[in-house]
Amino acid sequence: MAVERTLVLLKPDAVARRLSGPILTRFEARGLKIVGLKMLQVTPELSKKHYAEHVSKPFYPQLEEFITSAPIVAIALEGPEAIAVVRAMMGPTNGRQAAPGTIRGDFGLSRQMNLVHGSDGPEAAAKELSIYFGPNELISSCGPLDHLTLADDEK
Ligand code: IDP
Ligand code: MG
């Protein structure tokens, strides 16, 4: 089983609505390990780098305006199949279509102000982690409770 790292962003709506704690709690409670964490303001340049695949789309200008509007929190999470686990916890892009129990389904109704970003595959995760974190800013440690959360062949 692959232990992966993935990038999560708590978007401006999540931070402004004081939902950083409740959302982070869900990831931690699930068993994902925080290996990097920082607050920052996204610049238009960073937005274009992060959302490179969307820059030419009609909705991009309003997406850039939104993501640069207020601080965000960037989180690097580690765990078995962390990329897919996080995407499932987030729910689909449009909060109106996200099931209760998912982050987007529990906290919002918007397609744009949908609280969280999560890398959508291993290539995106590697690229996005390197955009937000330097190698020395990602720290993984083993804790005394690790043996209670995963079997040896899942670590
Ligand atoms: P994802 O975040 O679920 O992976 P993407 O399709 O990669 O969704 O879109 C990136 C982000 O752009 C979304 O999370 C959302 O904030 C915004 N977005 C996506 N589609 C639209 C749209 O049609 N109008 C406005 N914003 C959108
Ligand atoms: Mg995406």
Side-chain angles (χ1 to χ4, degrees):
M1 180 158 318
V3 172
E4 297 171 338
R5 287 180 174 181
T6 188
L7 178 85
V8 168
L9 299 181
L10 306 182
K11 296 183 181 182
D13 55 330
V15 177
R17 291 173 57 199
R18 313 287 196 264
L19 291 171
S20 303
I23 295 172
L24 193 53
T25 295
R26 289 183 177 218
F27 292 126
E28 282 204 293
R30 187 77 192 270
L32 292 159
K33 203 176 276 187
I34 298 170
V35 296
L37 184 68
K38 68 169 69 164
M39 183 176 238
L40 68 144
Q41 180 93 29
V42 176
T43 61
E45 188 191 14
L46 176 56
S47 173
K48 288 181 186 78
K49 214 165 153 185
H50 176 88
Y51 284 125
E53 62 175 314
H54 297 309
V55 167
S56 56
K57 295 185 182 163
F59 66 81
Y60 179 76
Q62 73 181 48
L63 174 60
E64 181 180 294
E65 192 181 340
F66 164 57
I67 204 75
T68 60
S69 64
I72 64 153
V73 174
I75 310 161
L77 293 175
E78 184 180 90
E81 298 177 34
I83 296 167
V85 167
V86 165
R87 292 284 295 188
M89 290 177 74
M90 288 165 43
T93 308
N94 187 335
R96 297 187 289 281
Q97 287 154 12
T102 64
I103 293 164
R104 288 167 169 171
D106 283 349
F107 295 126
L109 285 171
S110 170
R111 182 176 56 184
Q112 180 179 269
M113 281 79 160
N114 57 7
L115 301 130
V116 279
H117 166 84
S119 307
D120 65 7
E123 213 174 287
K127 177 193 144 195
E128 292 170 2
L129 285 165
S130 75
I131 290 177
Y132 290 88
F133 294 97
N136 296 336
E137 294 177 318
L138 296 176
I139 303 162
S140 191
S141 62
C142 294
L145 299 181
D146 283 2
H147 72 287
L148 292 173
T149 53
L150 291 170
D152 285 343
D153 63 353
E154 295 172 311
K155 288 174 189 161

